[in-house]
């Protein structure tokens, strides 16, 4: 449990710290946090409500052809599983990829908010720890939905629709 509190405290310190970083120092801190986040979320072991289901998907899709893998539901997620198994990374390759999409998308979304660090602090307990670690497909879909919202706000409708289509390939709830 201490790891979760330590992880949560990193962006919290960025919010409440009296020291304001600018330029490269601020960018470096964000990149460091992003890397820690991807490792923390991506290399989890037996964590999450769907862990066993995802392992079973990985075993099943690992032995299929690309056509068979993409024939089922959520073809975006199935493609990531298939590719990860082909290069020998298994479920961890899938989790690291999905964590990268989640954290990258969340950072993109938070960077467009008036208080980016505070937005990140608010998102970590539920979006990153619960959804990101517990429901991998849904986390990617939700993360891409956040990116789509930024495009909608900027009135970039084609990008908005395109990102929503990709998000729906990971989970139909989008």
């Amino acid at each position: 449990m201490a790891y979760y509190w330590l992880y949560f405290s990193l962006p919290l310190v960025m919010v409440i710290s009296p020291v304001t970083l600018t330029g490269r120092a601020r960018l470096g801190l964000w990149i460091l946090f992003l890397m820690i986040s991807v490792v923390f979320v991506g290399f989890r072991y037996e964590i999450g409500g769907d862990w066993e289901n995802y392992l079973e998907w990985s075993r099943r899709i690992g032995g299929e052809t690309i056509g068979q893998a993409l024939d089922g539901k959520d073809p975006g997620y199935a493609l990531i599983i298939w590719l990860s198994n082909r290069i020998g990374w298994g479920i961890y390759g899938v989790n690291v990829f999905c964590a990268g999409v989640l954290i990258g998308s969340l950072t993109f979304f938070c960077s467009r908010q008036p208080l980016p660090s505070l937005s990140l602090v608010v998102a970590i307990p539920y979006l990153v720890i619960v959804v990101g670690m517990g429901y991998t497909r849904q986390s990617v879909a939700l993360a891409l939905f956040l990116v789509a919202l930024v495009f909608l706000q900027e009135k970039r409708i084609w990008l908005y629709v395109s990102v929503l289509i990709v998000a729906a390939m990971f989970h139909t709830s989008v």
Side-chain angles (χ1 to χ4, degrees), residues 121-164:
V121 167
V122 170
I124 284 176
Y126 192 76
L127 183 60
V128 175
I129 293 177
V130 174
V131 178
M133 291 185 163
Y135 309 99
T136 309
R137 294 177 302 133
Q138 295 90 326
S139 72
V140 172
L142 183 57
L144 293 174
F145 178 71
L146 292 176
V147 170
L149 286 177
V150 170
F151 291 142
L152 180 63
Q153 184 179 16
E154 294 173 353
K155 297 182 179 22
R156 299 164 73 181
I157 302 303
W158 287 108
L159 279 173
Y160 167 74
V161 171
S162 299
V163 172
L164 282 182

Side-chain angles (χ1 to χ4, degrees), residues 101-120:
V101 171
L102 171 65
I103 300 302
S105 298
L106 180 60
T107 302
F108 177 75
F109 179 80
C110 290
S111 71
R112 302 304 199 272
Q113 304 308 307
L115 297 170
S117 297
L118 183 59
S119 301
L120 190 60

